[in-house]
Amino acid sequence: MENLPLPPTAGTSLQRAMTRRLLRRSVATGEISLPAVPGMLEAYVTMCANLFGTLGSEFSPEQIDELRGILHAQLTEAFTASPRSEIVISYSAPVGTVLNYHVKSRWWTVEGAYENWIATREPPLFGSEPDARVWSLSTEAADPRSFPILDLGAGTGRNALALARRGHPVDVVEMTASFAESIRAAAQSESLPVRVLQRDIFATTDDLRSDYRLILLSEVVSDFRSTDQLRGIFDLASRCLAPDGRLVFNAFVAHRDYTPDDAALQLGQQCYTTIFTQPQMADALAGFPLALVSDMSVYDYEKNHLPAGTWPPTSWYAEWVSGQDVFDVPRDERPIEMRWLVYERSDSTPE
């Protein structure tokens, strides 16, 4: 029999044909968990389509549309329920071209997420020193005993306990049970002037004083979900601060020339990085007897003022406060950053 020459591309095409047969002989199972960010739907679709194709199951346009619809529903359900949410994509590819997949959503409360931190991470969870900016503001008091402080969302108590050791009467509002009990136990063991209220910071103001000289929220506003919550803090401060008292908190603020889209806002919430624009900050403040008196970079201030050897407070802190948990870019290219914002209460309400 005469040997006919193969086409020049035959080797390549035959290799591809063999590869298709090889992949059809494979058996694969797996599971992928991802934060739920509805605004990044197409990234999930592309990832799944590429993965399934690699396993030998090329999806048709109709199958891709069906996948997109399932992902959209589960992403929306999860993110609406909580910023500590995810979708779980499980798949099974038996011999052949069939691939079965399932998408489900799951979530935790913010309190539950922090309880999990306590159970799975080594302390100190947020660093061992009080925030340098908070400490600086508190040291302006000549007599700490006459300078009561309210710590909202006190976490492990690294600010509250340090301030109480200096002599300040400190009220703590903390919703995570393990954190609240830890602060209470530490204060009792040292006979510190600390009162611990375990509840949501917005539940009531009836059990709070009206003469605080300083109200602080450290790494709390970064867990907010709306400007209504931000406005709630200004309202609380207006009710509970003494005249000339100050409110200080750190928050992620977008650079003036950057407007975050839904994807950035949603991913930010999933990364403990809720983003506010400067106009949103101004609108939330409108009508309250508070004036912005200081606006500083958290990264720069804490790096320059924390005690020697304590920067960064944790392994993740420097990138987080720089906004790099959301934007994987060099620090000087990130469009957001965490800022220390200080507001002072005056007797006259702004126009």
Side-chain angles (χ1 to χ4, degrees):
M1 178 180 291
E2 181 181 359
N3 291 324
L4 298 177
L6 292 173
T9 59
T12 302
S13 61
L14 291 174
Q15 187 66 38
R16 287 198 295 264
M18 291 168 59
T19 299
R20 289 195 297 272
R21 282 298 180 189
L22 173 66
L23 294 177
R24 290 171 189 170
R25 302 283 293 182
S26 66
V27 177
T29 59
E31 182 177 282
I32 305 169
S33 299
L34 290 166
V37 183
M40 299 182 71
L41 172 62
E42 292 307 313
Y44 299 85
V45 173
T46 300
M47 181 200 69
C48 288
N50 289 341
L51 173 61
F52 299 163
T54 300
L55 297 175
S57 297
E58 296 284 348
F59 272 30
S60 67
E62 293 75 19
Q63 289 174 311
I64 291 291
D65 284 342
E66 181 182 12
L67 170 65
R68 181 179 287 109
I70 293 171
L71 287 168
H72 179 264
Q74 294 301 306
L75 287 167
T76 301
E77 178 182 26
F79 184 76
T80 301
S82 172
R84 303 288 92 81
S85 58
E86 64 185 18
I87 61 167
V88 181
I89 305 164
S90 55
Y91 58 88
S92 173
V95 172
T97 59
V98 174
L99 183 141
N100 303 307
Y101 68 90
H102 178 69
V103 183
K104 65 179 180 181
S105 58
R106 62 186 181 194
W107 56 83
W108 303 263
T109 63
V110 173
E111 178 185 2
Y114 282 119
E115 291 284 7
N116 184 62
W117 273 38
I118 296 169
T120 60
R121 299 192 180 196
E122 290 293 324
L125 298 180
F126 305 103
S128 58
E129 298 293 322
D131 291 307
R133 189 70 183 108
V134 171
W135 189 253
S136 174
L137 291 170
S138 71
T139 57
E140 295 178 6
D143 180 8
R145 294 170 299 178
S146 61
F147 197 92
I149 295 175
L150 174 61
D151 189 348
L152 296 171
T156 58
R158 61 187 175 82
N159 282 313
L161 295 172
L163 293 167
R165 291 183 186 112
R166 188 171 179 269
H168 296 278
V170 179
D171 284 351
V172 163
V173 178
E174 173 55 54
M175 69 176 180
T176 303
S178 295
F179 285 154
E181 182 53 36
S182 175
I183 296 170
R184 187 179 290 113
Q188 289 175 350
S189 69
E190 299 181 44
S191 299
L192 296 174
V194 177
R195 181 172 64 122
V196 180
L197 305 170
Q198 186 194 330
R199 60 170 176 79
D200 185 274
I201 61 177
F202 295 112
T204 181
T205 59
D206 292 345
D207 51 6
L208 301 178
R209 302 171 59 145
S210 58
D211 62 345
Y212 294 110
R213 300 296 304 168
L214 180 67
I215 296 177
L216 72 100
L217 298 92
S218 177
E219 303 176 17
V220 174
V221 176
S222 53
D223 266 330
F224 283 4
R225 302 205 76 182
S226 69
T227 52
D228 286 342
Q229 289 174 292
L230 189 60
R231 189 165 177 82
I233 289 300
F234 291 135
D235 181 51
L236 185 153
S238 299
R239 295 169 182 267
C240 298
L241 277 175
D244 300 324
R246 290 180 174 180
L247 164 70
V248 58
F249 61 81
N250 45 19
F252 286 95
V253 182
H255 294 175
R256 190 173 298 278
D257 57 352
Y258 171 68
T259 302
D261 59 14
D262 286 346
L265 294 171
Q266 293 164 4
L267 182 59
Q269 289 189 26
Q270 289 286 16
C271 298
Y272 303 84
T273 309
T274 295
I275 304 167
F276 292 104
T277 63
Q278 294 180 42
Q280 284 177 321
M281 300 292 293
D283 288 346
L285 179 64
F288 292 113
L290 299 164
L292 180 65
V293 295
S294 178
D295 179 351
M296 300 180 178
S297 163
V298 169
Y299 181 100
D300 293 338
Y301 193 93
E302 298 301 308
K303 184 177 181 180
N304 292 330
H305 293 87
L306 278 172
T310 63
W311 172 265
T314 66
S315 60
W316 45 263
Y317 186 87
E319 287 192 354
W320 176 61
V321 300
S322 298
Q324 291 169 294
D325 280 9
V326 179
F327 300 98
D328 185 17
V329 297
R331 185 172 180 275
D332 59 359
E333 297 178 17
R334 81 276 187 235
I336 65 170
E337 71 169 337
M338 184 174 254
R339 308 284 297 180
W340 277 121
L341 304 171
V342 181
Y343 299 83
E344 187 169 280
R345 186 181 186 279
S346 62
D347 290 330
S348 58
T349 303
E351 292 292 335

